[in-house]
């Protein structure tokens, strides 16, 4: 038991805690709480849940991650990127305006399922699954998410509601509401002014707590101008006290959608956490442990799910606030959780006069931080293929939905990997005077060659997906005029050969041999060579067709042919292997 407890990151950190850190952690915890409370309530409503659940979630995930999380200052909690995904699970099952208790139970079970996914993945050491979302597709996904959140919060910002099943419906519903006069003028003033205030403070006074400033001013305005009498919805008094340990119960028919949603949420949460943790670890000199991060996220979600919470992820903005405030350890989060508990136990009415449009302003400004338009422009300039993948991921989220969008983003990332393997870069090599080795003819068109010999480099493992691509490239070289007598495959980039490719190589060797052409392999890695031997391919391809280096293969050809190096001419019929 002692050894198990000592393995917990939080207890290890506590054993080496320094007294001089205490004041900084307490101050950072107080500052962090001023952000945790309004954002927690706002993101709960974004997920289609009562505001109080955001506070329950914040408390439990902070405490759980402080014990099980490996990062010293990473801050977990309700997140704007997960809100629409949670809502996408809840709303089809509960419906607009449905039973809040049922919505909370579904969200809680969703958090527990996310926890199960994380813990199982950690046990199987699957931390690498975060890489299933490539950076371009993640940019597109987040851009789509930002637009979805922005459009979904606009009616609330203007004081009315819209019922729609998709982004286009929400857009048309919002403008129809404006045209029909549904907007509440006082609500629109509070909401728009809140957005402007947060953006202005973040831009020109970053040290001022923008969200806290908005909350204080909005509550003051609600009291002074009696905004409730002018049609502005207020948060109202929060339920007093802390919820008991609760195992959520749902209908059997709800389980399928909840599990599917949990898979998508777990992937986004893990990718976001690894990315944020890596960024802050570089500054502090810490190492990232992907599997331990999954344990920390899993524990945080489990704790939230058992106390009427919902799925959580890392917050880059809240982590940055904690860091700037001097946080040294996860004790900062413990202080934040303790202060929130004191608030809901002793002062549940503290935010009763907070206007709902102010919460919408908080969510909208958070959504703007998710978007990365400059990143999309950079992709267009650097690599348009990946930019198109990013745009496709964006359209998937915007047109089909956030849960389907994450599946599209993962699918596009995987397809992009297959595309590069299916059609890898391939080129002929030649000798360049004054440079050692053999070089790409596209980069060095003045390179020399040996008449009768062609050196082909194929930059990918040989597998079922590209074996025919390789075969076709070799065939084109064999049919060029004048025909080569040797084709040397510079095989160092070939890190694998599967059984399909081995069969293709056997047939290719026989076809070339019947045409009087010898195919040889240079610099083939030993593990790949052993696979070829295990496949029995060396019974058909002679051992003399394998050379340790390109230089040794070239030397052997010169011995048999007597060829001399010559400049490459523009011989008709020679085709680019690409």
């Amino acid at each position: 038991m002692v050894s198990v407890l000592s393995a917990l990151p939080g207890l290890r950190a506590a054993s080496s805690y320094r007294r001089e850190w205490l004041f900084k952690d307490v101050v950072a915890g107080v500052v962090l709480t001023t952000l945790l409370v309004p954002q927690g309530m706002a993101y709960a409503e974004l997920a289609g849940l009562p505001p109080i659940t955001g506070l329950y979630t914040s408390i439990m995930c902070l405490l759980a991650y402080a014990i099980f999380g490996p990062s010293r200052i990473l801050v977990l909690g309700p997140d704007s990127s997960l809100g629409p995904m949670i809502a996408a699970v809840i709303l089809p099952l509960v419906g607009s305006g449905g039973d809040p208790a049922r919505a909370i139970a579904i969200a809680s079970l969703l958090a527990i399922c996310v926890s199960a996914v994380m813990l199982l993945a950690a046990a199987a050491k699957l931390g690498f699954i975060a890489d299933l979302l490539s950076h371009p597709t993640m940019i597109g996904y987040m851009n789509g998410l930002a637009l979805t959140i922005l459009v979904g919060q606009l009616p609330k910002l203007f004081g009315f509601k819209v019922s729609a099943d998709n982004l286009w419906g929400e857009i048309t519903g919002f403008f129809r509401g404006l045209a029909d006069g549904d907007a509440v003028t006082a609500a629109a003033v509070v909401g728009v002014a809140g957005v402007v205030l947060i953006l202005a403070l973040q831009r020109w006074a970053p040290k001022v707590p923008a969200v806290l400033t908005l909350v204080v001013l909005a509550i003051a305005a609600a009291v002074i101008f009696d905004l409730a009498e002018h049609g502005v919805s207020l948060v109202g008094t929060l339920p007093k006290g802390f919820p008991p340990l609760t195992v959520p119960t749902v209908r059997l028919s709800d389980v399928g959608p909840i599990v599917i949603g949990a898979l998508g949420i777990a992937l986004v949460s893990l990718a976001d956490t690894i990315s944020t943790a890596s960024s802050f670890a570089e500054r502090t000199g810490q190492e990232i442990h992907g599997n331990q991060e999954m344990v920390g996220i899993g524990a945080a979600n489990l704790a939230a799910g058992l106390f009427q919470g919902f799925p959580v992820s890392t917050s880059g903005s809240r982590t940055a606030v904690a860091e700037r405030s001097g946080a040294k350890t996860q004790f900062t989060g413990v202080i934040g959780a303790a202060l929130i508990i004191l608030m809901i136990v002793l002062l549940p009415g503290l935010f009763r006069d907070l206007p709902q449009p102010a919460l919408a302003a908080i969510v909208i400004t958070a959504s703007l931080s998710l978007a990365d338009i400059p990143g999309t422009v950079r992709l267009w300039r650097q690599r348009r293929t990946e930019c198109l993948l990013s745009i496709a991921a964006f359209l998937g989220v915007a047109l089909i939905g956030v849960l389907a969008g994450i599946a599209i983003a993962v699918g596009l990332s995987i397809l992009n990997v297959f595309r590069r393997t299916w059609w890898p870069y391939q080129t002929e090599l030649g000798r360049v005077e004054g440079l050692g080795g053999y070089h790409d003819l596209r980069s060095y068109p003045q390179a020399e060659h040996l008449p009768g010999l062609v050196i082909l480099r194929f930059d990918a493992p040989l597998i079922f997906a590209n074996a025919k691509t390789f075969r076709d490239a070799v065939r084109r070289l064999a049919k060029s005029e004048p025909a080569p007598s040797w084709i040397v495959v510079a095989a160092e980039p070939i890190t694998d050969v599967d059984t399909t490719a081995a069969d293709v190589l056997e047939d290719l060797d026989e076809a070339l041999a019947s045409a009087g052409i010898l195919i040889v392999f240079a610099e083939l890695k030993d593990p790949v060579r052993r696979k070829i031997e295990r496949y029995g391919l060396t019974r058909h391809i002679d051992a003399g067709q394998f050379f340790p280096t390109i230089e040794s293969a070239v030397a052997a050809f010169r011995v048999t042919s007597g060829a001399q190096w010559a400049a490459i001419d523009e011989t008709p019929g020679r085709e680019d292997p690409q």
Side-chain angles (χ1 to χ4, degrees), residues 120-158:
L120 288 173
K125 300 189 183 301
L126 298 179
F128 66 88
I129 61 174
D131 298 332
L132 288 177
L133 279 174
S134 67
H135 186 59
T137 52
M138 193 65 172
I139 288 177
Y141 176 78
M142 287 300 179
N143 286 341
L145 206 57
L147 179 62
T148 300
I149 295 171
L150 174 63
V151 171
Q153 291 294 304
L154 282 176
K156 183 178 176 181
L157 194 75
F158 283 77

Side-chain angles (χ1 to χ4, degrees), residues 205-353:
K207 292 185 178 181
V208 176
V211 172
L212 178 62
T213 302
L214 169 61
V215 168
V216 172
L217 293 179
I219 292 175
V223 174
I224 294 171
F225 299 106
D226 197 12
L227 293 181
E229 291 298 320
H230 292 81
V232 179
S233 298
L234 305 179
V235 169
T237 301
L238 299 174
K240 185 176 182 180
F242 196 73
L245 175 68
T246 305
V247 178
T249 57
V250 300
R251 300 170 185 170
L252 185 60
S253 59
D254 297 339
V255 174
I258 289 174
V259 171
I260 293 173
L263 292 173
I265 291 172
L267 181 59
V268 172
S269 178
L270 178 61
D272 192 26
T273 298
I274 296 296
S275 174
T276 304
S278 300
S279 171
F280 284 94
E282 289 176 1
R283 307 179 195 178
T284 60
Q286 286 185 272
E287 293 184 3
I288 296 301
H289 304 284
N291 291 314
Q292 186 61 53
E293 285 294 354
M294 284 195 289
V295 172
I297 302 170
N301 277 282
L302 178 61
L306 292 175
F307 288 89
Q308 300 183 25
F310 52 86
V312 298
S313 180
T314 301
S315 170
S317 61
R318 291 192 289 270
T319 302
V321 168
E323 184 189 45
R324 288 197 301 267
S325 302
K328 295 298 181 182
T329 69
Q330 284 295 328
F331 191 59
T332 294
V334 174
I335 293 295
L339 291 176
I340 298 174
I341 292 173
L342 289 176
M343 188 204 77
I344 61 177
V345 171
L346 303 178
L347 299 169
L350 184 62
F351 293 95
R352 65 177 178 272
D353 293 318

Side-chain angles (χ1 to χ4, degrees), residues 347-407:
L347 299 169
L350 184 62
F351 293 95
R352 65 177 178 272
D353 293 318
L354 178 63
Q356 291 282 1
L359 292 181
I362 293 171
V363 173
I364 286 175
T365 52
S367 74
L368 296 178
S369 68
L370 295 177
D372 189 1
I373 305 304
T376 305
V377 174
R378 186 176 65 253
L379 285 175
W380 179 258
R381 292 173 178 170
Q382 294 176 346
R383 191 161 186 168
R384 294 190 176 181
T385 303
E386 295 196 344
C387 182
L388 292 176
L389 288 174
S390 180
I391 293 173
F394 165 79
L395 293 175
V397 177
L399 301 180
I400 302 176
V402 291
L403 289 179
I406 191 65

Side-chain angles (χ1 to χ4, degrees), residues 490-523:
E492 185 178 14
I494 300 177
T495 56
D496 191 17
V497 175
D498 69 7
T499 55
T500 302
D503 292 340
V504 170
L505 287 177
E506 182 180 341
D507 294 340
L508 184 62
D509 179 64
E510 292 178 359
L512 292 175
S514 64
I517 301 174
L518 185 68
I519 183 171
V520 304
F521 298 86
E523 300 181 353

Side-chain angles (χ1 to χ4, degrees), residues 384-445:
R384 294 190 176 181
T385 303
E386 295 196 344
C387 182
L388 292 176
L389 288 174
S390 180
I391 293 173
F394 165 79
L395 293 175
V397 177
L399 301 180
I400 302 176
V402 291
L403 289 179
I406 191 65
I408 291 173
V410 170
L412 289 173
S413 297
I414 294 173
L415 285 175
N416 192 35
V417 173
F418 271 104
R419 179 187 65 83
R420 294 178 184 179
T421 304
W422 204 323
W423 298 298
Y425 185 77
Q426 47 189 278
T427 187
E428 291 182 51
L429 304 181
R431 190 180 75 166
V432 180
E433 186 176 354
L435 290 178
Y438 298 86
H439 303 276
D440 192 333
L441 295 189
R442 293 191 183 92
S443 301
Y444 298 93

